[in-house]
Amino acid sequence: MKRIFITGGRRLSGEVHIRGAKNSVLPILAATVLHKGVSVVENCPALSDVETAAEILRCLGAKTERQGECLAVDASNLQSRPIPEPLMREMRSSVIFLGALLARFGEAELFYPGGCELGPRPIDLHLRALRELGAEITAEGGSIRAKARKLRGAEITLDLPSVGATENAMLAALGAEGVTRIRNAAREPEIADLQKFLRSLGAKVRGAGSSTVTVEGKTPLCDGIHRVMPDRIVAATYLAACAACGGEVRLMGAEKQHLTAVLAPLKEAGCEIAADQTGLIIRREGPLSAVRPIRTAVYPGFPTDAQALFMAALLKSRGATVFVENIFENRYRHVDELIRMGADIRVEGRVAVVYGTERLQAARVRCTDLRGGAALAIAALTAEGESVLEEIGHIERGYADLAGELAALGAEIRTEM
Ligand code: EPZ
């Protein structure tokens, strides 16, 4: 079993290159299904989730070719086939193939998606949006069958700005006759990046980044090439690590405008933040202080994916910080593991209070999910002694080389079988 070993106590310094965003490249890979030709995806990170998406594409008959950080997908000879359940269960984003397959073949057969266990993660909004486009969908026994003799453009209003439901509706709408408007759409930067990719294929999509996305269906597509945006949550991870350990880190390629909601509490906690044409620089010399309540929200609010990371960063801050998790019902599973390291955290429902403590001790801990795993690594960097992180497969789903990159920043860290 692969594990990460971390001896805490070192400050971080140097630079880290922020790679392409997992939560952008996954819907983009699903979208390659739309085009009977070649899509080239640059800045495509080598993550286990990306490999799962490529495996799904190959199952459907696509050819994939990776050269460094570039993945080419040839979807000329795709077949309408069921996606195997084990692949669907690997990750949440597998469900985005539903909209893409419906647009391409007028039918799709797959299973309920897997992914991080963060409490209930229904797909009712996805299915409702696809039904509004004219799809007939049966979902029983864990499998989903969708059929549409003809998809028609529609006015879709999402009950809440779900990232996944917005992406699924955008892809399905490209196979519909006429215009679709998706209202109360998610505004995350990954939606705008998906729109950019679709436009590189010649698709007519606009409004991504706002609450209304408009799609003109049945536009002929062509071969396209797209460079994936930098991963703002990976950037938030290295910002939180530097805040926790002290030191100075340059995040090459990080996009400041995507990070405003996380930069504000970092400054409040005592970090200096600077930006230049290469990316972002964070410096922490003085003491780390607690901050005002952190409430997770849809973009441009504080990202739920950074909640665990900031909790870990503030474990040794001066004072108490309140966290309110508004997006997922059960996204504090990392707390019990942090408490093993001596953290002082109280949880009541969606509210958690972190009481800053002087010392943390090393421990053997288990990653509970992707961001929870990264949070354990951050905490271990500030603990006395050598910690052992187990179940690190969770981390590898979203970080190409967390241990290697932290080691390059001066951390005492290694991965061992
Ligand atoms: C995306 O998940 C991200 N994943 C998540 O990142 C992220 O936490 C989340 O958006 C919120 O920002 C990817 O992009 C692959 P949602 P998604 O649909 O699309 C409820 C990470 O760490 N909901 O916006 O699944 C849902 O239960 C991952 O990288 C419904 O009720 O998120 C949740 O409470 C973890 N019905 C809320 O909406 C639906 O049909 C937001 O979910 C769909 C969602």
Side-chain angles (χ1 to χ4, degrees), residues 278-346:
T278 66
L280 279 176
I281 305 136
I282 179 168
R283 190 178 301 120
R284 201 244 324 145
E285 299 304 339
L288 193 66
S289 21
V291 298
R292 275 166 289 174
I294 291 181
R295 295 183 179 82
T296 66
V298 295
Y299 191 86
F302 188 92
T304 170
D305 297 345
Q307 174 254 99
L309 309 171
F310 274 59
M311 188 177 275
L314 294 169
L315 294 176
K316 293 174 70 174
S317 63
R318 292 184 176 169
T321 300
V322 175
F323 286 80
V324 185
E325 176 51 58
N326 290 312
I327 305 295
F328 291 105
E329 250 175 59
N330 183 15
R331 197 165 200 177
Y332 288 132
R333 297 174 61 224
H334 45 280
V335 168
D336 288 347
E337 299 299 312
L338 292 172
I339 288 173
R340 286 171 191 275
M341 304 170 98
D344 185 357
I345 310 171
R346 312 290 159 78

Side-chain angles (χ1 to χ4, degrees), residues 22-24 26-27 49 91-96 114-116 118-128 159-167 186 188 190 231-233 297-299 303-306 325-329 331 350 369-372 397-399:
K22 169 182 83 79
N23 292 348
S24 176
L26 294 177
D49 275 7
M91 60 180 188
R92 173 84 183 172
S93 270
S94 54
V95 74
I96 312 296
C116 291
L118 310 173
R121 298 186 78 179
I123 56 169
D124 56 319
L125 302 177
H126 298 237
L127 302 186
R128 195 184 307 156
D159 289 0
L160 56 88
S162 151
V163 172
T166 302
E167 293 163 345
E188 273 67 5
E190 291 77 16
D231 196 314
R232 61 192 172 101
I233 306 300
V298 295
Y299 191 86
T304 170
D305 297 345
E325 176 51 58
N326 290 312
I327 305 295
F328 291 105
E329 250 175 59
R331 197 165 200 177
R350 289 178 179 256
D369 54 69
L370 167 58
R371 309 305 170 183
R397 292 191 41 221
Y399 297 88

Side-chain angles (χ1 to χ4, degrees), residues 9 41 57-58 79-80 82 103 149 156 174-175 180 189 194 217 221 253 265 272 281 297 303 314 351 355 363 375 396:
V41 183
L57 286 166
R58 289 191 290 269
Q79 307 289 319
S80 170
R149 225 168 29 73
I156 297 170
L174 282 165
T180 295
L194 175 61
L221 302 178
E272 291 162 50
I281 305 136
L314 294 169
V351 177
Y355 296 93
E396 291 171 342

